[in-house]
């Protein structure tokens, strides 16, 4: 292997830049030529490929987002699109790839390897922390800290006005962001897709709280919850408790930005190096991750198909802590 390329794909996450930096520098350290691909698979198809030097990644470790840009690319799901991408990689003589992204990114890389034999190693880059094969994904720690920061501010105004706030956090189909936001943000209720929390349970918890002289409440809603969005859930609860003074806050893409935390910079740097070393060892179609403090390479197929289950005792913590 002489020439590798790095790209970021799917939703961006704080720490992606730190990971790009680690990949570029460890490639150079190991005597490889390294290229960047802009806009993920879309740039691969369009030939947005450029040579990177150590200086290309100076002064980015602290920056959120991704200097390589990111995109979700429909064209790469077609054989023609992938053929075009392969032709472009061949033009540059690229014989290995490092993909920073989530399961959609790795699904594409897996098919690409089966068809064209270009080995890819993945670094888990998503705020959702929903990838099997790593305890934490790059960007997760920063995102939950950003969210908790916002919840602290919401708590101030909730307390002053004695209101119920329904705060929606990201996470797609998972409650990994919602749980620490609820525990760390001191919420009374958390609603996640993995466990069922009915509207009547929410109503009951609020009524019990009022009877114990609580005057303000925070309900954390994971965006994928089965009862609906925070707006819908707030409306359903309002129907049951017309006198409730409620507000809804959707934290949204605020959670995706900002300078990466120390933990994310460390994880991104460690996994970036692991990706390059994995390629040099001849690995393909695996994601580098940290499980129980150990570096592991998990086949993409497992990362994509297996579920990283949420510890069920986590929701229980919120019941205990909000008494
Ligand atoms: O996967 C990261 C994520 O932020 C999810 O939490 C969210 O559901 C989704 O991406 C939003 O995607 P987009 O930025 O395309 O709206």
């Amino acid at each position: 292997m002489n020439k590798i390329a790095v790209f970021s794909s799917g939703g961006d996450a704080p720490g992606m830049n730190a990971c790009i930096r680690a990949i570029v520098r460890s490639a150079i350290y190991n005597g490889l030529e390294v290229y960047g691909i802009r806009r993920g698979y879309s740039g691969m198809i369009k030939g947005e490929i450029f040579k990177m030097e150590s200086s290309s990644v100076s002064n980015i470790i602290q920056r959120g987002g991704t200097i390589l840009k990111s995109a979700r690319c429909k064209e790469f799901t077609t054989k023609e699109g992938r053929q075009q991408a392969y032709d472009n990689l061949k033009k540059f003589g690229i014989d290995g790839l490092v993909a920073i992204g989530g399961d959609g990114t790795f699904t594409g890389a897996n098919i690409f390897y089966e068809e064209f034999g270009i080995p890819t190693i993945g670094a888990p880059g998503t705020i959702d922390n929903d990838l099997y094969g790593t305890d934490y994904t790059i960007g997760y720690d920063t995102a939950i800290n950003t969210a908790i920061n916002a919840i602290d501010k919401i708590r101030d105004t909730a307390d002053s006005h004695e209101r119920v706030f329904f705060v929606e956090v990201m996470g797609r189909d998972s409650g990994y962001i919602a749980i620490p936001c609820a525990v760390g943000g001191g919420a009374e209720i958390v609603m996640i897709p993995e466990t069922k929390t009915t509207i009547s349970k929410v109503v009951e918890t609020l009524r019990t709280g009022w009877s114990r002289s609580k005057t303000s409440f925070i309900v954390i809603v994971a965006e994928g919850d089965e009862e609906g969005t925070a707006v819908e859930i707030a409306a359903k609860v309002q129907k049951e408790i017309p006198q409730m003074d409620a507000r809804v806050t959707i934290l949204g893409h605020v959670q995706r930005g900002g300078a990466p935390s120390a933990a994310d910079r460390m994880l991104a740097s460690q996994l970036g190096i692991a990706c390059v070393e994995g390629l040099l060892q001849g690995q393909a179609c695996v994601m580098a991750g940290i499980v129980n403090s150990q570096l592991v390479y998990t086949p993409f197929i497992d990362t994509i198909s297996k579920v990283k289950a949420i510890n069920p005792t986590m929701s229980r913590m919120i019941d205990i802590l909000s008494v």
Side-chain angles (χ1 to χ4, degrees):
M1 186 158 295
N2 295 309
K3 296 183 182 182
I4 67 164
V6 52
F7 63 99
S8 45
S9 167
D12 63 348
M16 278 186 165
N17 279 328
C19 192
I20 294 166
R21 172 180 179 268
I23 291 158
V24 169
R25 295 218 165 142
S26 58
I28 293 169
Y29 178 87
N30 283 291
L32 299 173
E33 270 188 39
V34 58
Y35 290 77
I37 303 173
R38 288 201 182 87
R39 300 178 183 82
Y41 290 120
S42 164
M44 214 184 275
I45 291 170
K46 292 184 181 140
E48 296 183 77
I49 300 169
F50 65 101
K51 178 113 193 293
M52 295 184 87
E53 311 294 344
S54 182
S55 59
S56 316
V57 291
S58 296
N59 200 23
I60 65 165
I61 193 166
Q62 78 286 15
R63 283 169 56 189
T66 160
I67 58 159
L68 293 178
K69 315 286 183 200
S70 195
R72 305 191 202 272
C73 175
K74 276 232 165 78
E75 234 183 312
F76 198 76
T77 59
T78 67
K79 181 80 198 264
E80 298 72 41
R82 292 192 293 273
Q83 180 68 55
Q84 184 67 47
Y86 175 74
D87 294 344
N88 283 329
L89 293 179
K90 280 295 106 185
K91 259 186 236 159
F92 286 87
I94 288 160
D95 37 28
L97 292 170
V98 181
I100 311 168
D103 49 4
T105 308
F106 304 151
T107 304
N110 223 11
I111 300 170
F112 197 54
Y113 180 71
E114 278 165 18
E115 288 173 349
F116 299 103
I118 303 232
T120 303
I121 300 224
T126 166
I127 63 164
D128 298 340
N129 198 33
D130 57 349
L131 289 174
Y132 180 89
T134 192
D135 290 341
Y136 300 106
T137 55
I138 298 163
Y140 174 64
D141 182 67
T142 308
I144 58 178
N145 278 291
T146 301
I148 286 180
N149 229 311
I151 293 161
D152 287 348
K153 295 183 169 76
I154 290 168
R155 173 174 285 287
D156 290 343
T157 178
D159 182 55
S160 305
H161 287 266
E162 302 182 306
R163 281 175 168 154
V164 180
F165 266 83
F166 293 82
V167 182
E168 185 177 297
V169 297
M170 278 188 167
R172 205 180 288 275
D173 306 321
S174 104
Y176 272 104
I177 295 181
I179 292 280
C181 284
V183 175
E188 280 70 26
I189 302 165
V190 65
M191 303 181 75
I192 57 171
E194 292 86 348
T195 58
K196 191 156 175 55
T197 306
T198 59
I199 297 297
S200 45
K201 170 75 181 149
V202 176
V203 169
E204 185 198 312
T205 307
L206 293 174
R207 289 211 166 111
T208 309
W210 280 310
S211 73
R212 287 185 188 148
S213 312
K214 272 198 186 208
T215 58
S216 66
F217 299 81
I218 306 273
V219 182
I220 302 292
V221 179
E223 64 177 350
D225 190 71
E226 73 287 344
E227 286 290 351
T229 63
V231 171
E232 289 161 351
I233 291 169
K236 288 181 193 172
V237 177
Q238 187 85 69
K239 238 179 153 185
E240 301 297 317
I241 317 175
Q243 72 280 16
M244 172 181 75
D245 189 5
R247 291 292 184 274
V248 176
T249 304
I250 299 165
L251 295 185
H253 287 80
V254 164
Q255 297 159 97
R256 287 247 294 267
S261 65
D264 273 329
R265 295 181 202 194
M266 273 300 292
L267 181 68
S269 301
Q270 196 179 0
L271 294 182
I273 293 171
C275 285
V276 174
E277 290 180 346
L279 274 179
L280 288 169
Q281 289 155 14
Q283 304 232 39
C285 288
V286 292
M287 181 192 83
I290 304 290
V291 177
N292 294 330
S293 306
Q294 298 297 315
L295 173 66
V296 290
Y297 294 99
T298 302
F300 281 158
I301 198 71
D302 290 342
T303 311
I304 298 158
S305 61
K306 292 191 179 170
V307 175
K308 184 166 83 177
I310 280 203
N311 181 343
T313 61
M314 289 294 174
S315 301
R316 205 179 137 251
M317 277 175 77
I318 289 128
D319 293 340
I320 295 171
L321 296 173
S322 63
V323 160

